Amino acid sequence: MKKVVIVHGLGQTPNDWKQVIEQLDESNEVICPDLFSLVDKQKLSFETLAQSFEFYCSKFDQPIILVGLSLGAVLALEYTNRHPGQVDSLIIIAAPYQMPKKLLKFQNMVFHLMPSKSFSKIKMTKKEMISLCQSMMDLDYSDQLKEIGYPTLVLCGSKDKANYSSCLRISKEIPNSKFSEISFASHEVNKDNPQKTAELINAFLGQDKLKGF
C-alpha cells in the first residue's frame, strides 16, 4: 500500500479535501495533514513550514506520493528538492514555479485591511499570514524543474487564469510529466470539481509508472 500525502493550500484545511479523498482508490493510504498545526511555536515562515513538513514526512518508511495544491504544491516541490529519494511521484495542482511578487504584495495589502477574525478558520493570525506571504517572495523553482525525475501529473482548473500558464510551463519542464485541465474549476479544484479531481488522481495513481504515462 502506497502512502499518498495531500498538502492543502493556503486558506484551506484538510476538510476541504474530504470530497476528493472519499472518491480516491482505497488501495492507497491517503493522508491530509493540517499544515499550520505542524508548525509548533516557531515564527511562521515558509522555511519553518517547510521544516515542519519535512519532520512530519520523516516518519514514513517508504517513498511517498505528494499531492499539493497552490502553497501545498510549492511545499511539495521544496520537499522533492530536499529529499529526492523520499518521493515516489508528484501531483502538482495550480502552482506557480516562480512566486508572483506583485500579487503577493497586493495580497498582503488586502490582509492588512481584513479583520483578524477572518483568519481563525485556518488557525493562523493575520500577522502570521502576512509573515508567511512575505517569506515566499523570492521562491523560484525554474532551474530545479528539469531535475525532477519522478512521474508527475500537473493539474489546473480551466478558469484559473493566474496559474494556467505556469502549470503548462511546469509540465513542459519536468521530463516525465503530463498536464490535465480540470473543467468548470478555478483555483480550488478540490472544491470546484472534486469528482474530476479525484478521477484524474486515481487515473494517475493507477498507471504503470515504470513504463511512463
Side-chain angles (χ1 to χ4, degrees), residues 95-113:
Y97 63 88
Q98 183 181 59
M99 295 305 107
K101 290 185 179 181
K102 290 183 179 179
L103 178 59
L104 286 174
K105 288 178 180 179
F106 176 75
Q107 284 182 332
N108 269 356
M109 288 175 58
V110 173
F111 292 151
H112 273 291
L113 299 173

Side-chain angles (χ1 to χ4, degrees), residues 165-183:
S165 60
S166 175
C167 287
L168 287 174
R169 169 73 183 274
I170 291 172
S171 179
K172 182 179 178 181
E173 294 293 325
I174 296 176
N176 188 18
S177 67
K178 176 182 178 181
F179 173 82
S180 289
E181 175 187 294
I182 298 179
S183 56

Side-chain angles (χ1 to χ4, degrees), residues 68-96:
L69 168 72
S70 194
L71 169 63
V74 175
L75 279 170
L77 288 172
E78 183 68 27
Y79 185 81
T80 61
N81 286 335
R82 300 186 186 192
H83 303 279
Q86 298 303 313
V87 178
D88 173 271
S89 52
L90 281 172
I91 300 178
I92 298 297
I93 309 171

Side-chain angles (χ1 to χ4, degrees), residues 10 45-51 70-79 81-82 95-102 104-105 131-145 166 170:
L10 187 64
S45 67
F46 182 77
E47 181 57 29
T48 57
L49 188 60
Q51 289 177 355
S70 194
L71 169 63
V74 175
L75 279 170
L77 288 172
E78 183 68 27
Y79 185 81
N81 286 335
R82 300 186 186 192
Y97 63 88
Q98 183 181 59
M99 295 305 107
K101 290 185 179 181
K102 290 183 179 179
L104 286 174
K105 288 178 180 179
S131 173
L132 176 60
C133 289
Q134 183 67 37
S135 70
M136 296 176 65
M137 293 283 185
D138 296 321
L139 294 177
D140 188 341
Y141 297 94
S142 303
D143 296 332
Q144 288 96 330
L145 295 175
S166 175
I170 291 172

Side-chain angles (χ1 to χ4, degrees), residues 16 26 28 32 39 51 60 62 72 74 81 86 88 103-104 132 136 167 184 187 190 201-202 206:
D16 292 309
E26 294 182 355
N28 297 301
C32 185
V39 182
Q51 289 177 355
F60 302 126
Q62 65 186 82
V74 175
N81 286 335
Q86 298 303 313
D88 173 271
L103 178 59
L104 286 174
L132 176 60
M136 296 176 65
C167 287
F184 310 110
H187 187 59
N190 55 314
I201 293 174
N202 279 331

